[in-house]
Amino acid sequence: MIPNIPEEEAKIRIAKRIAKEFKDGDVVNLGIGIPSLVADYIPKDIHVIFHTENGMLGAGPKVKEEEGTIDIIGAGGVKITVLPGGSFFSSDISFGLIRGGHIDITVLGTLEVDEEGNLANWMIPGKLTPGMGGAMDLVTGSKKVFVATLHTAKGKPKIVKRCSLPLTGQKVVSKIFTELAVFEVTKKGLVLEEIAPDVDLKTLREITEPDFKVKEPLKIMEV
């Protein structure tokens, strides 16, 4: 049976799990949606430098209601804080950092992601879209690309065998994080690294379109 996890709880679960992937000193860019939650759950003993493509290094967690007078906005349009040592610069410098390979990890949401690591996250044909922002630069310029996504949308898998929507990047995704599992994307397809305690392997296969291998020993996700 597919676990009935409230959507907001599922999103926070994904953000918390991704936050555990970072190492001290990583330079990380967070996309819109679930990725923007990740900054709130970084372990206290890890120092991560957050980059925003609109021109900032050293972004902190999003602004809390009681801090509503702060008017610094990240690339995702969310008000954010600035950590000590944070700096601001122009967009050309910011994209120079991305294209120069200085971003360690990019975390993005998705409409579809497939078994080859292809990513479609910016456009549904026929629907009004604000554009892809810096996503194409980020997926090609970052050392690793993590996808943060709910496992299904309206009951349909978001991890598919082949993306049908316009791609943001080809074979760019390193890992996929959902509320139910963590997959590594390899040249030979998906490898399940972790599974949530409230789903079984049979159900996970039913709601994940491509086949996948299972890493041994399979870890249980901390939720």
Side-chain angles (χ1 to χ4, degrees):
M1 178 181 290
I2 301 175
N4 183 23
I5 305 171
E7 185 169 317
E8 284 307 308
E9 180 182 328
K11 290 178 178 178
I12 291 172
R13 178 187 289 194
I14 296 166
K16 285 182 174 178
R17 176 59 191 84
I18 291 175
K20 295 175 182 175
E21 285 288 305
F22 303 142
K23 298 177 181 175
D24 217 27
D26 278 345
V27 179
V28 177
N29 185 292
L30 301 177
I32 300 170
I34 298 173
S36 68
L37 303 175
V38 173
D40 293 339
Y41 300 103
I42 302 300
K44 291 182 179 178
D45 58 340
I46 298 294
H47 177 59
V48 175
I49 303 168
F50 286 109
H51 164 268
T52 70
E53 62 262 38
N54 62 340
M56 185 179 175
L57 272 177
K62 66 182 178 182
V63 173
K64 298 176 182 176
E65 288 187 12
E66 60 270 25
E67 300 171 330
T69 56
I70 297 175
D71 287 328
I72 298 170
I73 296 173
V78 176
K79 288 184 178 181
I80 55 176
T81 53
V82 184
L83 298 179
S87 61
F88 300 88
F89 35 80
S90 59
S91 290
D92 59 334
I93 296 294
S94 183
F95 275 79
L97 289 172
I98 298 170
R99 294 172 186 177
H102 302 290
I103 307 300
D104 293 306
I105 301 169
T106 288
V107 185
L108 292 170
T110 193
L111 297 169
E112 291 177 336
V113 58
D114 70 26
E115 64 180 354
E116 292 188 341
N118 298 315
L119 175 66
N121 78 342
W122 70 283
M123 178 185 178
I124 297 176
K127 290 194 174 183
L128 183 64
T129 176
M132 67 187 71
M136 282 190 173
D137 290 88
L138 285 163
V139 298
T140 55
S142 301
K143 295 171 185 171
K144 294 180 181 177
V145 176
F146 291 169
V147 165
T149 179
L150 296 174
H151 207 94
T152 60
K154 298 180 180 177
K156 294 183 178 179
K158 294 190 74 175
I159 304 173
V160 297
K161 195 165 181 60
R162 292 287 183 274
C163 287
S164 61
L165 297 174
L167 293 183
T168 309
Q170 288 184 305
K171 299 181 179 179
V172 293
V173 176
S174 310
K175 281 191 173 186
I176 303 167
F177 298 81
T178 80
E179 74 277 28
L180 301 179
V182 178
F183 293 96
E184 181 184 8
V185 182
T186 75
K187 291 181 179 178
K188 295 183 178 180
L190 300 179
V191 176
L192 177 66
E193 290 192 335
E194 297 181 22
I195 188 169
D198 40 14
V199 67
D200 58 76
L201 192 56
K202 179 176 180 292
T203 301
L204 193 67
R205 288 193 184 280
E206 290 172 352
I207 57 176
T208 308
E209 192 175 280
D211 193 12
F212 56 82
K213 295 180 180 178
V214 179
K215 187 174 182 177
E216 297 292 346
L218 180 61
K219 291 183 179 179
I220 304 299
M221 276 178 67
E222 292 183 27
V223 298

